[in-house]
């Protein structure tokens, strides 16, 4: 989301004063797009029955534009799952209290299931439009983690009704690394973490697992806007761990290469 937006009902001026500790954080205070240097996209696949990676599904077709005046055929976001459909992953399963991966210990600071996938307080307009063009979004689950150095990591898991929407939306978002469409969460009171200013450096990464699209954001503990590759490297193990849990839930099989 463009960082030039500065209006919020819950915040002080960007130029001074502490931002309130709001959960989730308003998108107006996501890190500035100009500070972003890296984005990574991965699509996890379950292991085959013989332990080999399963074949990749065919890419999702490009979304078509309806003729002027034609009724929209896709249902709205937050559509209900059809009878018998697999429910989204449970919040506590998606986001364990502690994750150890890549030699780093990540501690969960907060997590929540939002009431909609298209809240303007948590999701940017481009992503909202992509969700509404699809076949429905069943769940949006967010979490904030910190590592032993108090760096902050935001995770969002969107569970769509149709896995083709996951591939399509993920590909569209990953195409522009400077466009934040998922807001960073402000640490809740008592977390021992600062609310980082709007111009803090940020990296973002994406992963897909069945119907689940996972978005990860990483920020240094002091918000400095350098050394993005190192920050991406620290975000990646946590993103992978959450993505593998989502994939195991979606398929009932571990992802290829998982222990």
């Amino acid at each position: 989301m463009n960082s030039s937006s500065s209006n919020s009902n819950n915040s002080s001026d960007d130029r001074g004063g502490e931002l309130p500790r709001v959960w989730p954080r308003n998108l107006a205070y996501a890190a500035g797009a100009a500070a972003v240097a890296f984005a990574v996209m991965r699509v996890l696949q379950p292991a085959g029955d013989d332990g080999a990676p399963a074949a990749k599904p065919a890419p999702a077709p490009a979304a078509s534009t309806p003729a002027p005046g034609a009724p929209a055929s896709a249902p709205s976001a937050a559509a209900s799952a059809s009878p018998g459909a697999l429910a989204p992953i449970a919040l506590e399963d998606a986001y364990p209290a502690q994750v150890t991966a890549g030699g780093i210990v990540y501690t969960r600071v907060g997590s929540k299931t939002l009431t909609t996938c298209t809240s303007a307080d948590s999701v940017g307009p481009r992503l909202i439009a992509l969700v509404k063009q699809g076949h429905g979004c069943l769940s949006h689950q967010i979490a904030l983690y910190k590592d032993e150095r108090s760096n902050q990591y935001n995770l969002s898991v969107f569970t769509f009704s149709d896995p083709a929407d996951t591939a399509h939306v993920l590909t569209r978002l990953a195409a522009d690394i400077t466009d934040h469409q998922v807001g960073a969460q402000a640490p809740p009171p008592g977390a021992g973490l600062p609310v980082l200013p709007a111009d803090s450096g940020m990296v973002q990464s994406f992963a897909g697992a069945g119907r689940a699209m996972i978005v990860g954001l990483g920020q240094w503990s002091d918000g400095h806007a350098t050394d993005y590759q190192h920050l991406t490297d620290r975000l990646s193990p946590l993103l992978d761990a959450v993505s593998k849990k989502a994939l195991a839930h979606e398929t009932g099989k571990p992802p290829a290469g998982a222990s």
Side-chain angles (χ1 to χ4, degrees), residues 142-223:
I142 60 175
L144 175 63
Y145 282 84
K146 65 178 180 179
D147 63 17
E148 71 280 3
R149 302 175 187 175
S150 294
N151 301 313
Q152 298 183 27
Y153 306 93
N154 289 266
L155 279 298
S156 285
V157 176
F158 294 84
T159 301
F160 296 104
S161 298
D162 187 340
D165 288 342
T166 304
H168 175 66
V169 176
L170 187 150
T171 302
R172 293 286 297 275
L173 292 184
D176 186 353
I177 66 173
T178 66
D179 186 15
H180 284 105
Q181 289 295 312
V182 176
Q185 318 305 320
L193 296 173
V195 177
L196 297 174
D199 59 352
S200 298
M202 179 184 286
V203 296
Q204 63 179 342
S205 297
F206 305 86
R211 300 171 302 161
M213 179 182 74
I214 304 93
V215 183
L217 307 174
Q219 294 175 284
W220 294 119
S221 59
D222 61 359

